[in-house]
Amino acid sequence: MQLVYPSDFRLTDKEKSSICYLSFPDSHSGCLGDTQFSFRIRQSGGPRSPWHADDGHYSSGAPVSLQREPAHYFGYVYFRQVKDSSMKRGYFQKSLVLVSRLPFVRLFQALLSLVAPEYFDKLAPCLEAVCNEIDQWPAPTPGRTLNLPVMGVVIQVRAVHILARVDQPETSPPKQCSQENLLPAPVVLTSVHELDLFRCLQPVLTQVQTLWELMLLGEPLVILAPSPSVSSEMVLALTSCLRPLRFCCDYRPYFTIHDSEFKEFTTRTQAPPNVVLGVTNPFFIKTLQHWPHILRIGEPKMSGDLPKQVKLKKPSRLKTLDTKPGLYTAYTAYLHRDKALLKRLLKGMQKKRPVDMQSALLRRHLLELTQSFIFPLEHYMTSLMPLQKSITPWKTPPQIRPFRQNDFLRSLEHAGPQLTCILKGDWLGLYSHRRFFKSPHFDGWYRQRHKEMAQKLEALHLEAICQANIEAWMKDKSEVEVVDLVLKLREKLVRAQDHQLPVKEETVQRTQLIQMGMGSRPKDLQSVQWPA
């Protein structure tokens, strides 16, 4: 590692070693010219202070899947390998890596494509100038279009949209930002994170249904690709297939035998972990032969208008050497393949439909799949919420009832996706499989929904207190009881002002005025500091 900038950026020796190994394609890839790819590593050495000032405003408006990673780093790589007789090995080989906790793959790849070529020529001074420009960039504000100047160019990108509730899809089209006074014309990005989904998934379009199910169930999957760029794009595309559901399993867009988790992921003494691994070294076919699902992608080959499609193959046909492209798995999909979607995509290729429209079709299909699966869960979860009439001002709010799998499965007979979704298949079997309930995806979804419902309960309780007759309640209460109420109100008010409770502004204002309606406060309350 020749240079780290900023120089005070702290990395452990283990993290530095991982970044060095993952910043170069392995010898099997044979990448010549310029290549871009990404990786993801686990933070080592315990928790650290954040790089940036508090970004609660961004976090409150962005989907959970696009917030800062607390325990992992993303590495975005621009690698160059060209012939150079003056070098000892006969080649110039260098990588510029941008390390971040944010999964903004599209933005950071665009940034690197501008910066890296200049850096390879001018080295440290160029990097210092670029970092000084980036330091002046505004913080990512959800819903706002940002103009980000760098090296005489402006990258114009819309930050993550504000959401009514966590991980709900955007319904309104992006607002166009004025491009006046921007010379030269800006590099316009429609998203900070979305890849070209259609291009990434072209070799596996006929297996998208099966792969979506494997992602949903949190199944271990190895993706053997011809290069780090194909590997990382396929992993990122597949892990994005579950949106608006957050992908809660581990995933590594590019993984090598030198990775610090190599032994952990390849051990045969326990079941394979819930992780999606992108690799390029055929050695992994032998090492991970015990994994239940292996996707082998070959070099792109056209078959008519569509790239040659990966076929389902039995794991017994897996060879340690010269393994042919295919999805090697014993898994049988519960849902039927959507032939109408494949026909529309093929027709789009024949008619030269723009790639972004093809991606939009594919993304809409996957979104509808996930929403169809999640809706019954949302419906059942809502039924566990206490009735609003059971919330009274002077009692602790009632508890959210527990999630019971058997009760939920029984509810599917009259409220399942098989009644509303166009796509046919054994939807009930997909739920009854129960692997989903054991997966990190269900745990992550349930924790998030339970947190939101608990916050809603608190907000309703606060509103009930605001609407109650405080003076009448105080008449026969001891100072201890009044102090207890005031302290609880203070805590709720602080949380409401930090946007941690979904309350209206007038409720916050009424809560602030309660102290005025309490008459002469006991001496115990004189020291209570109310938020402004």
Side-chain angles (χ1 to χ4, degrees):
M1 192 175 288
Q2 292 182 338
L3 177 67
V4 176
Y5 198 91
S7 56
D8 58 352
F9 173 52
R10 292 189 303 110
L11 288 168
T12 65
D13 290 340
K14 189 176 181 180
E15 290 164 348
K16 287 180 180 178
S17 176
S18 293
I19 290 172
C20 287
Y21 280 120
L22 291 167
S23 298
F24 289 83
D26 61 36
S27 57
H28 298 86
S29 301
C31 298
L32 278 175
D34 291 358
T35 304
Q36 282 190 268
F37 57 95
S38 57
F39 60 81
R40 181 173 179 263
I41 62 171
R42 189 183 298 166
Q43 177 184 294
S44 64
R48 300 170 206 174
S49 58
W51 300 351
H52 304 277
D54 176 55
D55 57 353
H57 181 63
Y58 169 76
S59 297
S60 66
V64 177
S65 58
L66 293 179
Q67 293 176 8
R68 295 186 194 279
E69 287 257 2
H72 292 83
Y73 292 130
F74 292 99
Y76 303 95
V77 183
Y78 193 105
F79 169 72
R80 173 171 289 181
Q81 178 172 260
V82 292
K83 288 186 177 181
D84 187 343
S85 56
S86 65
M87 307 298 288
K88 186 176 181 180
R89 294 186 177 183
Y91 286 91
F92 170 88
Q93 295 175 313
K94 193 179 286 282
S95 285
L96 179 63
V97 185
L98 190 157
V99 178
S100 174
R101 291 190 187 275
L102 290 168
F104 292 173
V105 58
R106 193 165 174 185
L107 171 62
F108 291 145
Q109 283 187 347
L111 175 62
L112 282 172
S113 67
L114 294 171
V115 175
E118 285 289 313
Y119 167 70
F120 293 144
D121 291 337
K122 300 174 183 176
L123 301 179
C126 166
L127 205 58
E128 185 174 352
V130 166
C131 288
N132 286 335
E133 285 187 291
I134 293 174
D135 279 343
Q136 305 304 312
W137 286 2
T141 304
R144 178 184 168 195
T145 299
L146 304 176
N147 291 320
L148 310 175
V150 61
M151 298 180 63
V153 178
V154 173
I155 301 175
Q156 189 176 90
V157 61
R158 191 184 190 209
V160 182
H161 48 271
I162 295 177
L163 304 171
R165 221 203 65 208
V166 167
D167 281 348
Q168 287 295 320
E170 184 175 26
T171 54
S172 60
K175 296 178 182 177
Q176 295 298 316
C177 183
S178 172
Q179 296 182 9
E180 294 179 9
N181 303 322
L182 293 179
L183 295 173
V187 175
V188 179
L189 303 178
T190 56
S191 164
V192 292
H193 66 285
E194 287 181 347
L195 291 168
D196 181 347
L197 195 64
F198 178 69
R199 179 179 58 80
C200 296
L201 296 180
Q202 269 194 0
V204 297
L205 287 176
T206 55
Q207 306 302 334
V208 159
Q209 215 77 35
T210 300
L211 290 166
W212 175 83
E213 289 187 26
L214 293 179
M215 295 296 102
L216 180 72
L217 299 175
E219 287 289 294
L221 176 67
V222 183
I223 298 170
L224 177 59
S227 69
S229 57
V230 175
S231 158
S232 58
E233 286 188 344
M234 182 61 75
V235 170
L236 293 176
L238 289 177
T239 54
S240 74
C241 283
L242 298 185
R243 288 177 183 156
L245 189 67
R246 182 185 183 185
F247 191 86
C248 295
C249 296
D250 197 358
Y251 61 97
R252 305 301 172 91
Y254 177 50
F255 189 80
T256 74
I257 59 175
H258 303 290
D259 199 283
S260 58
E261 278 88 45
F262 176 76
K263 288 184 178 179
E264 176 187 334
F265 290 163
T266 57
T267 180
R268 291 173 181 258
T269 58
Q270 57 190 33
N274 302 100
V275 61
V276 181
L277 284 186
V279 302
T280 59
N281 191 336
F283 172 75
F284 279 102
I285 293 290
K286 180 180 180 180
T287 311
L288 301 177
Q289 225 171 1
H290 60 295
W291 279 42
H293 319 287
I294 296 179
L295 174 61
R296 175 73 163 96
I297 304 170
E299 295 288 349
K301 291 181 181 178
M302 296 302 291
S303 178
D305 293 301
L306 202 63
K308 193 171 183 180
Q309 293 294 290
V310 160
K311 296 180 180 179
L312 274 178
K313 297 187 178 183
K314 296 179 180 179
S316 57
R317 297 182 62 186
L318 196 64
K319 299 177 182 178
T320 55
L321 295 175
D322 195 29
T323 297
K324 294 182 179 179
L327 176 56
Y328 294 83
T329 179
Y331 179 83
T332 302
Y334 284 92
L335 305 182
H336 299 160
R337 185 181 297 173
D338 192 337
K339 295 180 180 179
L341 171 71
L342 293 173
K343 287 181 180 178
R344 289 179 71 189
L345 291 173
L346 182 58
K347 191 173 182 180
M349 293 188 72
Q350 293 168 345
K351 290 189 172 184
K352 310 297 182 186
R353 183 187 292 149
V355 175
D356 58 343
M357 291 182 65
Q358 294 279 81
S359 289
L361 275 174
L362 188 53
R363 190 171 284 111
R364 172 56 60 181
H365 169 75
L366 293 167
L367 174 66
E368 289 173 355
L369 268 183
T370 304
Q371 287 180 325
S372 296
F373 183 85
I374 291 297
F375 181 76
L377 287 161
E378 295 277 358
H379 185 266
Y380 175 75
M381 193 72 183
T382 302
S383 72
L384 305 179
M385 182 80 166
L387 297 176
Q388 187 166 350
K389 65 182 181 182
S390 66
I391 301 170
T392 58
W394 320 123
K395 291 183 180 179
T396 302
Q399 296 293 306
I400 300 166
R401 294 189 294 278
F403 189 105
R404 303 189 189 280
Q405 289 184 24
N406 289 334
D407 291 346
F408 167 70
L409 292 173
R410 281 193 291 270
S411 74
L412 292 174
E413 295 178 9
H414 53 81
Q418 74 280 1
L419 303 176
T420 56
C421 187
I422 297 175
L423 191 68
K424 301 304 177 184
D426 186 8
W427 282 96
L428 297 182
L430 189 58
Y431 290 104
S432 302
H433 198 289
R434 291 184 187 266
R435 227 180 296 187
F436 173 73
F437 293 110
K438 296 177 183 177
S439 75
H441 298 323
F442 173 74
D443 183 66
W445 170 83
Y446 176 76
R447 286 174 183 271
Q448 182 63 32
R449 288 295 288 120
H450 194 278
K451 176 184 174 183
E452 291 170 1
M453 290 168 68
Q455 290 174 340
K456 181 64 176 176
L457 271 177
E458 272 198 78
L460 291 173
H461 188 226
L462 184 60
E463 289 178 6
I465 293 173
C466 288
Q467 293 168 5
N469 188 333
I470 299 288
E471 290 186 8
W473 176 82
M474 285 180 59
K475 285 180 180 178
D476 60 346
K477 297 296 181 291
S478 66
E479 289 189 7
V480 172
E481 290 175 294
V482 176
V483 169
D484 184 58
L485 174 64
V486 171
L487 291 175
K488 285 181 179 178
L489 278 176
R490 181 182 182 278
E491 180 186 344
K492 289 179 185 292
L493 185 57
V494 169
R495 296 191 62 199
Q497 290 181 327
D498 287 343
H499 305 288
Q500 294 178 9
L501 293 182
V503 294
K504 299 174 183 176
E505 182 60 31
E506 49 263 40
T507 300
V508 174
Q509 293 172 359
R510 279 204 303 269
T511 307
Q512 291 172 326
L513 293 173
I514 282 180
Q515 57 182 320
M516 298 172 60
M518 297 181 78
S520 57
R521 298 193 298 176
K523 290 182 179 180
D524 305 53
L525 298 185
Q526 302 305 315
S527 61
V528 175
Q529 297 298 313
W530 287 80

